[in-house]
Amino acid sequence: MAELDTLAATDSQIAAFRGPLMEWYDENKREMPWRKTGDPYRIWVSEIMLQQTRVDTVREYYRRFVKAFPTVGDLANAEQDEVLKLWEGLGYYSRARYLHDAAQQVVREHEGTVPRDYDDIRDLKGIGPYTAAAVLSIAYNEPHPVLDGNVMRVVSRVFASDANIKKAKTQRHFRRLAGELLDPERAGDFNQAMMELGATICTPTSPSCGRCPVQDACAAYAEGEPEQYPVTPESKPVPHHDIAVGLVFDDDGRILIQRRPEDGLLGGLWEFPGGKAEEGEEMDKACIRELREEVGIDIEVDAPFYTLSHAYSHFKITLYAFRCRLIDGEPTSEEGQPIRWVKVADLDEYAFPRANRKLIEELERRQEEPSLFD
DNA sequence: GAACCGTGGTG
DNA sequence: TCACCAAGGTT
């Protein structure tokens, strides 16, 4: 096994890689909405949405987003609530907040033009090494190699490197190797070709080496077991929490919602108030306690409403929702966490997390069938 | 360096 | 069913 520091692309390897990859890409590239434009702003939007998110998931979100905000200026002038509503369901909501902030920064500091300089674009919130290289290469054809999960897998196989891809040192060398393979004349196409190869041919399990255009340049293929690359460390156990939330109705049939703090999990989204149950605590008691602590009201639990399981990025929950009535107190808006009474029909105007959306769907279902509302 | 940050598809 | 993981970035 070669050491990372001595690993390098040979001339023959580059020759067997660059040309065949580009030919394959020209013949096989998939159609994507953001490939119909040369607008650096739209390419930027697409790359933010594509972070840790599949192409097929992004397509529709992208279309709606650039229709609502055709230019950097339009996005900069938008309200955060409007941006988050368009991001609802896509996940990693800090991406939307950062993109919104960065658009205002581009208007303020760059006259509304996406920077072409690496350090300048890296200064924008939400743009790291990958996105900077992606936008610069695709929008401006600047020769920066991208290193995403696909490229990491391709590089680890081409060079048969068993280095841990979670380590910064490994990524530094893999980025260098990707740069050695890069076609400097067609940087944007080359980067997209690398990612598309990883997504469609050089897949994590059972790669299609028989259809691979760079088979002859691949050391892992020569070894016979490309699936053993890349090497990743074993994952840790995922924690589980029980969550109690209250569907609190007032006398007019409106329901109480609260916006989450800007930072952290689901930041800036609206939700039904509630929180984590304590060890051994009954869920209805947890609901009463949380509503007292979070919004300063006394409520009575009418009935269990719905229970669901949900997985977040690094923990899992079981969510217990209860139908509640306001007994005493006026809901108080904590700092940065405004509350609002909303008609069920108007809940669609707000951005909610998925788990809450499931509750809303159930609410709407039972409103159409009042008999289901015990 | 490592924890944190969503969601849906996949085998 | 459930662990894995996808065009990563921030703190």
Side-chain angles (χ1 to χ4, degrees):
Chain A
M1 183 49 224
E3 295 297 323
L4 269 177
D5 307 271
T6 62
L7 214 48
T10 64
D11 288 343
S12 64
Q13 208 167 14
I14 293 173
F17 194 94
R18 192 180 289 168
L21 178 69
M22 298 311 290
E23 281 183 34
W24 170 83
Y25 181 68
D26 289 337
E27 288 297 313
N28 296 282
K29 64 179 175 188
R30 295 174 290 178
E31 181 178 322
M32 299 176 193
W34 46 91
R35 285 184 175 165
K36 296 176 179 174
T37 179
D39 182 358
Y41 159 69
R42 296 189 181 213
I43 291 165
W44 172 24
V45 169
S46 75
E47 288 300 339
I48 298 298
M49 288 188 168
L50 285 163
Q51 289 170 5
Q52 296 289 284
T53 311
R54 285 182 169 74
V55 166
D56 284 340
T57 302
V58 168
R59 292 180 190 278
E60 202 50 39
Y61 280 94
Y62 171 85
R63 283 198 192 90
R64 285 191 299 139
F65 198 91
V66 297
K67 185 176 181 182
F69 312 121
T71 70
V72 184
D74 295 321
L75 177 56
N77 289 330
E79 294 293 325
Q80 188 191 70
D81 275 344
E82 190 183 357
V83 178
L84 284 175
K85 180 60 187 175
L86 282 163
W87 212 271
E88 181 183 34
L90 197 54
Y92 285 139
Y93 299 97
S94 63
R95 292 184 295 176
R97 301 196 308 273
Y98 292 157
L99 178 60
H100 187 211
D101 289 346
Q104 296 173 346
Q105 189 181 344
V106 166
V107 168
R108 200 167 52 236
E109 301 176 5
H110 302 283
E111 299 174 335
T113 302
V114 178
R116 188 175 179 142
D117 176 77
Y118 185 86
D119 290 330
D120 285 344
I121 200 169
R122 275 285 281 110
D123 274 339
L124 300 175
K125 269 200 274 185
I127 296 190
Y130 164 79
T131 308
V135 174
L136 290 184
S137 65
I138 297 171
Y140 298 122
N141 206 30
E142 295 281 345
H144 297 275
V146 297
L147 186 68
D148 75 327
N150 291 306
V151 177
M152 237 154 359
R153 187 168 55 255
V154 170
V155 169
S156 73
R157 287 174 178 169
V158 168
F159 295 94
S161 169
D162 62 0
N164 182 345
I165 62 168
K166 297 296 184 189
K167 299 290 183 182
K169 179 185 178 185
T170 304
Q171 295 177 12
R172 193 165 63 246
H173 284 286
F174 278 20
R175 188 174 292 107
R176 172 179 59 78
L177 292 166
E180 294 174 9
L181 296 173
L182 177 75
D183 182 345
E185 302 299 316
R186 297 182 61 190
D189 285 341
F190 178 89
N191 281 332
Q192 294 184 84
M194 287 286 276
M195 295 189 280
E196 193 127 332
L197 184 76
T200 62
I201 302 283
C202 196
T203 51
T205 58
S206 57
S208 306
C209 299
R211 295 190 287 118
C212 181
V214 295
Q215 187 191 95
D216 294 341
C218 185
Y221 177 76
E223 285 182 353
E225 290 184 310
E227 317 78 37
Q228 67 180 297
Y229 305 100
V231 172
T232 59
E234 45 194 282
S235 53
K236 292 180 176 180
V238 179
H240 179 277
H241 304 294
D242 287 320
I243 308 291
V245 308
L247 306 179
V248 185
F249 290 90
D250 68 4
D251 293 337
D252 296 326
R254 294 180 306 177
I255 195 164
L256 182 64
I257 63 174
Q258 183 175 28
R259 193 165 67 191
R260 296 179 61 87
E262 283 272 325
D263 297 318
L265 184 74
L266 306 168
L269 273 66
W270 292 81
E271 67 178 2
F272 302 113
K276 243 183 291 195
E278 292 168 359
E279 192 69 27
E281 184 181 29
E282 299 285 336
M283 294 310 297
D284 56 344
K285 298 289 189 286
C287 183
I288 293 170
R289 177 182 56 75
E290 284 290 345
L291 281 158
R292 188 153 43 219
E293 292 176 2
E294 294 296 315
V295 284
I297 58 172
D298 289 321
I299 54 113
E300 184 174 277
V301 170
D302 275 344
F305 176 77
Y306 200 70
T307 300
L308 61 87
S309 295
H310 191 77
Y312 292 98
S313 50
H314 57 296
F315 66 96
K316 298 178 179 180
I317 65 164
T318 303
L319 191 160
Y320 300 85
F322 295 93
R323 189 154 53 82
C324 310
R325 280 182 299 111
L326 181 61
I327 296 300
D328 192 34
E330 185 76 14
T332 55
S333 173
E334 285 188 38
E335 179 66 27
Q337 300 179 66
I339 61 99
R340 204 168 288 187
W341 292 101
V342 180
K343 288 184 291 187
V344 172
D346 292 337
L347 288 172
D348 285 343
E349 297 171 14
Y350 298 81
F352 283 90
R354 265 302 193 251
N356 278 243
R357 269 288 154 216
K358 293 175 187 172
L359 297 179
I360 293 171
E361 287 172 15
E362 188 63 18
L363 270 173
E364 291 169 343
R365 205 170 67 78
R366 296 192 194 185
Q367 281 212 330
E368 290 170 14
E369 288 287 341
S371 61
L372 297 176
F373 225 122
D374 55 328

